[in-house]
Amino acid sequence: MLSPQAVHNGETPSPHHRILTPQFHSTVTLRKLRRFNSLILVFRLAAFAFSLASSVFMVTNSRGSDSPHWFDFDAFRFVFAANAIVALYSLFEMGVSVWEISTGATLFPEILQVWFDFGHDQVFAYLLLSADSAGTALAKTLKGTDTCKASNSFCVQSDISVALGFAGFVFLGFSSLLSGFRVVCYIINGSRFHL
Amino acid sequence: MLSPQAVHNGETPSPHHRILTPQFHSTVTLRKLRRFNSLILVFRLAAFAFSLASSVFMVTNSRGSDSPHWFDFDAFRFVFAANAIVALYSLFEMGVSVWEISTGATLFPEILQVWFDFGHDQVFAYLLLSADSAGTALAKTLKGTDTCKASNSFCVQSDISVALGFAGFVFLGFSSLLSGFRVVCYIINGSRFHL
């Protein structure tokens, strides 16, 4: 089950890495790295769950032809799209984390992996915050208008969707902190190992 | 004109710093650091100009008692507050940059300074993006309503204010990249010098 990258990253450490972490340290280091990766996995799972729930709440927010639809509002379309993107991305990153925990090696080459994770975490965190803020502003504006008077459940469901999106943003932000830490470790040590 | 910190940071480099950057490098390093700080100063100036313009455009967006006022809308209040905060912060950071360029030393102790800059850049960038997204969603919702039909110039001025806020966010984002780079340099070298 070991890919070429796995062999490159896990089995034969690079010379640079070998200098910094002597052989007798490697078991402890691996165990600590696994614990760190498990923490990332938990954050990814939470971000996935919340953003998936948010997009599902938004996409099911239509009740017959005479009530308002979520896709009639730009900001709600933005909320759905951003949450769906983050859910897909988190699912992919969960797979990457599970792969790394089980094989001890990164899916992509190590330098690409740490920068890929951090860069996408940052960009998607901004995207999700922007979408959720726009959704909040729209939801607040709709309160007291005919739309909410005609179908109060539509407005409540929109509120829930936006709130779930904010929860997803918080966990994506935590993931971003940890992946930023891995980038700094990589820059310092020439390896994602933080010991 | 040299503060105790200036003497600590500029005149007598710490032992760690002395090891990594030998004495004969210090002139070149100082010149490069000054060029880097000038770039940060330009970004800070742009972020200040745009966010100040945005908050001024928003706060002057009232035309008599019979037309709508900016402070009647939560999202517009948020846009004004976020832009005003970023303008004040950018003004302060411009002062810090000018101080560092002219004296060659940081205003606060070095480790505090690099983390202060990076942390505030990140938080305020999220704040500003959130406010501008909320403002965009509200401005889009107001289009075609009685508010915009009664006073079109109110809506145009809101749009301009939000757009200026986004420009401020872009330059604050650039500043954040550079201050993040300084943090990494500090972690690696034990000094904000990137050579």
Side-chain angles (χ1 to χ4, degrees), chain A residues 60-82:
Chain A
T60 56
N61 202 3
S62 306
R63 293 150 219 288
S65 55
D66 56 342
S67 70
H69 300 284
W70 65 275
F71 46 77
D72 294 334
F73 302 93
D74 283 337
F76 287 163
R77 283 209 299 265
F78 187 21
V79 170
F80 166 71

Side-chain angles (χ1 to χ4, degrees), chain A residues 74-75 78 118 121-122 125-127 129-131 133-135 137-138 140-142 166 169 173 176 184 187-188, chain B residues 74-75 78 118 121-122 125-127 129-131 133-135 137-138 140-142 166 169 173 176 184 187-188:
Chain A
D74 283 337
F78 187 21
F118 179 61
D121 283 354
Q122 284 278 310
Y126 279 114
L127 178 75
L129 181 69
S130 174
S133 300
L138 178 59
K140 260 190 91 62
T141 315
L142 286 182
F166 273 114
F169 164 74
S176 172
V184 172
I187 293 173
I188 297 174
Chain B
D74 282 337
F78 188 21
F118 180 61
D121 282 354
Q122 285 278 310
Y126 278 114
L127 177 76
L129 182 68
S130 175
S133 300
L138 177 59
K140 260 190 91 60
T141 314
L142 286 182
F166 273 114
F169 163 73
S176 172
V184 173
I187 293 173
I188 297 176

